[in-house]
């Protein structure tokens, strides 16, 4: 499968040198007492199956975790190109009955103000709960998107992008409609659980009477400093992988991930489309397989992520290599073979998921897996073709179950003095 890495969170020089102290809050004592470590990142699979894309991150001293700060205002919204955070919340809202364009604009204005303050390590603009008082920004990012139904509810049907048309049905889907779709979407990520929850609570309270919660999902990734040296992380299947996520340094990165400034509709300039899938891993079945059988399903060694065709984790996979019996060493239905961009018309997406564990069923079966989030300039060219191919014969499909799905249009970043979505709602 394509291994894909994500750049690390943008950290402002002033945030790294001096903790934010607005509202009496700064970097916590527990952050300053940590020892040096490294960030490991785990990502999702191309096309919505389960994947293992995560490149080694630079060593991250624990003392810097709280002071890491992402930027709210910019060309793109935060939470797309930053490195994965340790904790995350994905939340969808529906506009309340009677709420329309005016109420939606006021809501996005409130949300943007709150996001800007919290991402700077400051208190919420009103009724702050003090949950995150002792922490710095902790790489907090808050990202906003619009679902298909939002446009009808606000009278903006003519501004609905064609790329936001509902995703096609896939034969492997077992979707819970109550946990799918939504008018509005908020992605929250941070490297501290209390900072993430603080943001979640503030966003929920800001919704007021304008929007009601539709669904919420909670996830996690490896914590910065959890490993002794920079390395690729593992997901809940224990699989290691990852170096081929599109990188901002790639010449075609913006073309693949972001809507061009001249794109249509105009309000989506520099924005992106997020596909969100809740993918349960059938861990009891997976863990019954031998390591060799697991490696055949994925197409990579479990120990170090190297392709079964040889080399190390970053060695290009040789899809034509055969063993002494003439069998491909990377099986034809291996997940890594099927998801390769060069075998899918160049289809590419930036995968930025969270793992999740929501307890156990009555029989002890774990409800655990991947909150898959992928970004692309057009889901019909990014997510859909790869998922269709996976749907036809991925060896991993018998060990996972797609239980929820959503697609959101995520506009470009807000300029200073603007709120997210202003060009749509006031254009």
């Amino acid at each position: 499968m394509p291994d894909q890495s994500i750049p690390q969170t943008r950290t402002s020089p002033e945030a790294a040198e001096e903790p934010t102290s607005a509202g009496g809050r700064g970097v916590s004592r527990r952050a300053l007492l940590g020892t040096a470590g490294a960030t490991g990142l785990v990502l999702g699979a191309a096309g919505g199956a389960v994947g293992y894309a995560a490149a080694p991150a630079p060593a991250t001293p624990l003392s810097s975790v709280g002071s890491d700060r992402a930027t709210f205002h910019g060309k793109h919204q935060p939470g797309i190109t930053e490195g994965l955070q340790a904790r995350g919340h994905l939340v969808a809202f529906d506009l309340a009955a009677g709420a329309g364009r005016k109420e939606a604009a006021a809501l996005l204005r409130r949300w943007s103000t709150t996001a800007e303050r919290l991402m700077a390590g400051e208190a919420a603009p009103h009724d702050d709960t003090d949950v995150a008082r002792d922490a710095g920004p902790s790489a907090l990012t808050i990202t906003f998107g619009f679902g298909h139904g939002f446009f009808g509810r606000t009278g903006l049907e003519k501004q609905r992008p064609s790329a936001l048309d509902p995703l096609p049905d896939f034969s492997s889907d077992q979707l819970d409609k109550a946990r799918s779709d939504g008018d509005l979407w908020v992605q929250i990520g941070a490297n501290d659980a209390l900072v993430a929850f603080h943001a979640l609570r503030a966003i929920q309270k800001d919704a007021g009477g304008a929007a009601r919660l539709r669904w919420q999902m909670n996830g996690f990734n490896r914590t910065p400093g959890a490993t002794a040296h920079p390395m690729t992380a593992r997901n809940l299947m224990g699989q290691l992988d990852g170096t081929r996520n599109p990188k901002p340094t790639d010449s075609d990165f913006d073309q693949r991930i972001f809507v061009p400034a001249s794109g249509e509709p105009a309000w989506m300039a520099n924005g992106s489309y997020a596909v969100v899938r809740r993918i349960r891993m059938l861990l009891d079945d997976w863990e019954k397989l031998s390591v060799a059988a697991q490696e055949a399903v994925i197409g990579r060694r479990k120990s170090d992520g190297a392709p079964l065709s040889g080399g190390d984790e970053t060695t290009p996979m040789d899809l034509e290599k055969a063993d002494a019996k003439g069998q491909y060493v990377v099986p034809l239905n291996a997940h890594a073979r099927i998801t390769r961009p060069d075998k899918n018309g160049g289809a590419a997406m930036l995968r930025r998921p969270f793992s999740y564990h929501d307890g156990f069923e009555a029989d002890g079966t774990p409800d655990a897996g991947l909150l898959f989030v992928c970004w692309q300039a057009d889901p019909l060219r990014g997510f859909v073709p790869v998922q269709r191919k996976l749907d036809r014969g991925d060896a991993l499909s018998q060990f996972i179950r797609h239980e929820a799905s959503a697609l959101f249009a995520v506009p470009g970043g807000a300029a200073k003095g603007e709120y997210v979505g202003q060009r749509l709602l006031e254009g």
Side-chain angles (χ1 to χ4, degrees), residues 170-192:
F170 301 105
S171 63
S172 59
D173 286 353
Q174 299 181 42
L175 305 182
D176 178 356
K177 297 299 183 183
R179 292 192 294 183
S180 299
D181 304 319
D183 293 341
L184 292 157
W185 177 62
V186 185
Q187 175 190 253
I188 297 168
N191 282 334
D192 180 81

Side-chain angles (χ1 to χ4, degrees), residues 10-173:
R10 299 186 298 270
T11 304
S12 63
E14 63 270 24
E17 295 169 5
E18 182 177 356
T20 300
S21 58
R25 293 164 53 185
V27 179
S28 67
R29 182 174 182 272
R30 70 175 180 276
L32 294 173
L33 292 176
T35 56
T39 300
L41 309 178
V42 58
L43 297 179
V50 178
Y52 320 94
T60 304
L62 288 182
S63 60
S64 74
V65 171
S67 63
D68 281 349
R69 175 178 170 180
T71 304
F72 176 74
H73 294 292
K75 183 178 181 181
H76 310 298
Q77 285 197 59
I80 302 176
T81 60
E82 288 85 1
L84 293 181
Q85 297 108 318
R87 304 294 297 187
H89 302 291
L90 307 180
V91 196
F93 294 84
D94 286 334
L95 288 173
R101 183 172 177 178
K102 178 181 177 181
E103 290 76 15
L107 173 57
L108 267 297
R109 190 180 295 112
R110 290 196 300 274
W111 274 352
S112 295
T113 298
T114 294
E116 181 179 10
R117 288 180 62 90
L118 297 186
M119 285 177 55
E122 300 173 7
H126 53 81
D127 299 326
D128 190 85
T129 61
D130 287 341
V131 171
R133 173 179 288 276
D134 305 312
S138 301
L140 175 68
T141 61
I142 305 176
T143 318
F144 303 103
F146 303 117
H148 188 274
F150 177 84
F151 297 86
R153 294 177 181 271
T154 55
L156 292 166
E157 292 95 335
K158 292 183 179 179
Q159 291 298 318
R160 182 191 291 131
S162 58
L164 200 58
D165 288 348
L167 295 172
D169 294 330
F170 301 105
S171 63
S172 59
D173 286 353

Side-chain angles (χ1 to χ4, degrees), residues 132 255 263:
Q255 173 186 331

Side-chain angles (χ1 to χ4, degrees), residues 75-76 254-255 258-271 377 412 423:
K75 183 178 181 181
H76 310 298
D254 281 2
Q255 173 186 331
F258 295 109
V259 176
S262 59
E264 292 294 336
W267 66 267
M268 272 296 289
N270 301 314
R423 280 161 278 180

